[in-house]
Amino acid sequence: ASLCLSYMGASKVMATDGNPNVVRLARDNFLQQQIPPPGEITANELSWGVMDAIEYSETADLVIGSDLTYNAGSWRLLAEAMETVLKRNGSVLYVTLGHAGFNVNAELQGFLAVAEELGMAQVNPGDPTWPFPNDQSSDTPPSLTNLILRECLSPRELPIVQATGGVRAVVLQKKRYIASMRMK
């Protein structure tokens, strides 16, 4: 995702992981690209939680995460880190896939409950603070999950993803930003 964002025009991209070996591999990958990314791209070690994320406080316009919530014991630390690094009007795009013997809906709902306790809220297409272009061809915007299924998976991949619990995608923002935009 980091390289894609850079090639799509993001002026500054930071990939993070709590594992220093993964961070080193990401840096090596950035250096080995045939076409160097146009913007600044870095990889940094970042453990979850307020204390670890405070160095990056309110620096991110967009946080992208995938398959991070499989361990309920880490939900609070992950939500704290997301809330800490987001700018006031920033957004989190989070995608999770099902796995055999794993309930993706329960996992995501559990994480969302924790994130809400810590000042985050889910936003949907059509909401005033929705950060992405809306599909103007329909009165009812499709869900983010349906957009991903329609746009990102081939007909061969779709049954595989559905057989293992499917995919869920959400966008989160800081509650205080959402409230301030609704008062305008």
Side-chain angles (χ1 to χ4, degrees):
S2 303
L3 283 169
C4 289
L5 288 170
S6 183
Y7 287 127
M8 291 174 68
S11 60
K12 186 175 182 181
V13 176
M14 180 175 49
T16 65
D17 200 283
N19 182 330
N21 293 324
V22 172
V23 171
R24 189 183 74 254
L25 288 172
R27 287 177 181 152
D28 291 347
N29 188 20
F30 299 159
L31 294 172
Q32 293 175 14
Q33 295 305 304
Q34 295 293 324
I35 302 170
E40 178 185 340
I41 187 166
T42 60
N44 297 325
E45 193 173 335
L46 175 64
S47 297
W48 296 339
V50 173
M51 296 309 294
D52 292 306
I54 200 76
E55 177 181 349
Y56 304 104
S57 181
E58 297 196 7
T59 59
D61 293 309
L62 178 64
V63 172
I64 298 177
S66 175
D67 289 323
L68 303 171
T69 54
Y70 51 86
N71 178 354
S74 67
W75 293 348
R76 182 171 219 53
L77 295 173
L78 174 60
E80 286 174 353
M82 288 176 169
E83 205 280 335
T84 300
V85 302
L86 270 187
K87 288 182 178 177
R88 180 183 164 275
N89 61 341
S91 300
V92 173
L93 170 60
Y94 181 67
V95 180
T96 186
L97 291 168
H99 305 282
F102 178 75
N103 185 327
V104 69
N105 289 323
E107 165 258 331
L108 183 58
Q109 290 308 311
F111 172 71
L112 290 175
V114 171
E116 185 157 328
E117 284 177 28
L118 296 173
M120 304 283 289
Q122 184 176 345
V123 293
N124 298 297
D127 286 348
T129 62
W130 182 250
F132 306 112
N134 281 309
D135 181 0
Q136 302 300 321
S137 64
S138 170
D139 289 340
T140 307
S143 73
L144 186 56
T145 298
N146 287 338
L147 283 172
I148 290 172
L149 290 172
R150 184 179 73 210
E151 301 295 329
C152 300
L153 295 176
S154 72
R156 286 183 27 200
E157 293 169 319
L158 187 58
I160 296 167
V161 168
Q162 289 173 330
T164 58
V167 63
R168 303 295 178 273
V170 295
V171 173
L172 300 171
Q173 293 174 337
K174 293 183 177 189
K175 286 182 182 179
R176 61 182 186 259
Y177 170 66
I178 297 167
S180 72
M181 294 307 290
R182 287 187 178 143
M183 293 184 345
K184 288 185 175 187

